[in-house]
Amino acid sequence: MAWALKLPLTDEVIESGLVQDFDASLSGIGQELGAGAYSMSDVLALPIFKQEESNLPPETENKILPFQYVLCAPTSPAIKLHDETLTYLNQGQSYEIRMLDNRKIGELPEITGKMVKSIIRVVFHDRRLQYTEHQQLEGWRWNRPGDRILDLDIPMSVGIIDPRANPTQLNTVEFLWDPSKRTSVFIQVHCISTEFTMRKHGGEKGVPFRIQIDTFKENESEEYTEHVHSASCQVKVFKPKGADRKQKTDREKMEKRAPQEKEKYQPSYETTILTECSPWPEVTYVSNSPSPGFNSTHNSFPVAEGNGSPSHQPEPVVQVADNLLPTATPQDAQQWLHRNRFSPFCRLFTNFSGADLLKLTREDVIQICGPADGIRLFNALKGRVVCPRLTIYVCQESQQAREHQPKHENGDAAANTFFVYHAIYLEELAASELAEKLAQLFNISPRQINQIFKQGPTGIHVLVSDEMIQNFQDEVCFVLDTMKDNTSDGYHIILK
């Protein structure tokens, strides 16, 4: 009560003192975070807070969302109340995401009976890694050449149409789906959380990822660019079976806690519901242009359509030998290493010219690059090609008859008689492969070759099958005869 005995102060003095005290109490906030602490704007920009930045007016915050995405994996029980859920995943394991239509009757009528496009991506949860996402993904690509961060398990998925995966976007897949039909997509995450930690001394905590789904509808130009809904969840990815062990460890820790402590934590749910968030800002992912990746079966083979005339034939893919020359400069050598998927070793060979690399022995390369990549690099340097499984030589019968010379009086053929044969190399040892190679030789479409026969004993025609080709002797010679099919525009080919 001593303060009551002081002389009365004016209102202005009291207000001034209160303001100074309040400012002083706030001045130390955030200093313990160090010089590298994030500003409040950075913190609010985290994906977990993105849903608070929604443009929705306050009165519509509790409205029912048009779609709901459910990841069929349990949440961790070691997450405090009011914190975002965390889900553990196993590397390379297929996990189902159910795509649910949550619209009320009459809501978004423009997509009724139409397809929508959804883009699934795995991104970083930490803001620090989001700033350097491109560099992080490029580093992962160099360490894991040919691998993807995110894949679709197409055989297990239901209701998805035209799935695509752009090879330049390792962490993104997209597909079309009909909201009125049952749709489940199975995804596989191939990176683990510890691959992106700063210090790797063993036992370190892995960084969290986010699985985000953005859904778009068609615009007036029939391009899927109009955003409809986005949602995401926080995950950590472990090596195979590591997620199950981590889930079990969290559950055992919670069981040992006192009942009053357990009340501070969320229960573990059997599935993870993705919560609404802002759409991913990179609009380059939202493109209706064809992207390679998961091709449907009708595009599996480069077979010409239409009448099969030579003018409609696709250009054959010519395998150009990419051999490193001794005259290659260090810059040329670096480009050659990149083209042949040896990017992780570019720093080691920074100053190596083509001649320097070609002088390396097999033991040298294995010691530098390890057994697997070392053997592959040595074979690439030496320009070693894989021999075909079967080689056959063919000659057209019309050419043979034209080049055949008259016989001498003794009945022997002229000494200068020769026939031109063409080499055909087979890898799959299949009748369809032989038909494609013969079609290229005759400059026609493979569809114009109806049947391939082999002339057997007494002149019989035996249908060529995969099993027959597999029993051909290597470097066997055949004379080709063609026979017009009277029932169609195709031909029969006879191997003699």
Side-chain angles (χ1 to χ4, degrees), residues 75-273:
T75 61
S76 169
I79 304 300
K80 290 187 176 181
L81 292 174
H82 310 299
D83 286 349
E84 186 183 19
T85 60
L86 177 61
T87 304
Y88 303 134
L89 305 180
N90 288 316
Q91 179 189 24
Q93 182 173 329
S94 295
Y95 289 92
E96 179 186 10
I97 298 180
R98 297 171 184 169
M99 315 290 288
L100 305 178
D101 185 2
N102 211 24
R103 293 175 298 156
K104 295 180 179 179
I105 298 177
E107 185 179 2
L108 292 175
E110 61 271 18
I111 66 174
T112 301
K114 293 185 177 181
M115 298 286 179
V116 295
K117 174 193 276 188
S118 286
I119 302 176
I120 304 179
R121 51 175 57 88
V122 174
V123 295
F124 293 113
H125 174 77
D126 293 343
R127 192 68 173 179
R128 172 181 58 84
L129 292 174
Q130 289 182 14
Y131 286 137
T132 60
E133 178 180 290
H134 179 71
Q135 292 86 343
Q136 297 288 342
L137 297 185
E138 282 300 311
W140 192 89
R141 185 202 302 269
W142 287 358
N143 293 326
R144 302 272 294 274
D147 290 348
R148 291 187 54 82
I149 290 179
L150 180 63
D151 264 330
L152 288 180
D153 190 344
I154 297 180
M156 295 187 66
S157 301
V158 177
I160 65 173
I161 299 173
D162 195 21
R164 297 173 182 268
N166 193 318
T168 63
Q169 298 166 357
L170 305 181
N171 61 332
T172 304
V173 294
E174 62 182 52
F175 55 90
L176 304 179
W177 59 288
D178 186 347
S180 64
K181 297 180 181 179
R182 174 178 172 249
T183 304
S184 287
V185 57
F186 283 77
I187 64 169
Q188 298 171 340
V189 183
H190 297 293
C191 62
I192 58 177
S193 294
T194 53
E195 288 185 277
F196 299 97
T197 51
M198 293 294 293
R199 301 182 180 87
K200 298 184 179 180
H201 303 297
E204 64 278 350
K205 291 184 178 181
V207 301
F209 301 124
R210 299 197 70 79
I211 294 179
Q212 176 157 335
I213 303 179
D214 300 301
T215 299
F216 302 84
K217 64 180 180 179
E218 286 184 315
N219 59 12
E220 296 178 355
S221 302
E222 298 184 352
E223 296 178 345
Y224 293 93
T225 56
E226 293 194 17
H227 178 257
V228 178
H229 178 243
S230 294
S232 64
C233 67
Q234 184 182 192
V235 299
K236 278 190 176 183
V237 185
F238 297 80
K239 290 183 178 180
K241 297 185 179 179
D244 306 316
R245 290 192 294 268
K246 177 62 173 173
Q247 188 79 4
K248 180 181 178 182
T249 301
D250 286 357
R251 185 170 59 250
E252 291 174 349
K253 286 182 179 179
M254 294 306 301
E255 290 175 353
K256 294 178 182 179
R257 292 184 180 272
Q260 55 270 27
E261 284 292 322
K262 291 182 181 179
E263 295 178 356
K264 301 179 182 179
Y265 291 84
Q266 303 179 22
S268 176
Y269 300 100
E270 294 183 358
T271 58
T272 304
I273 298 178

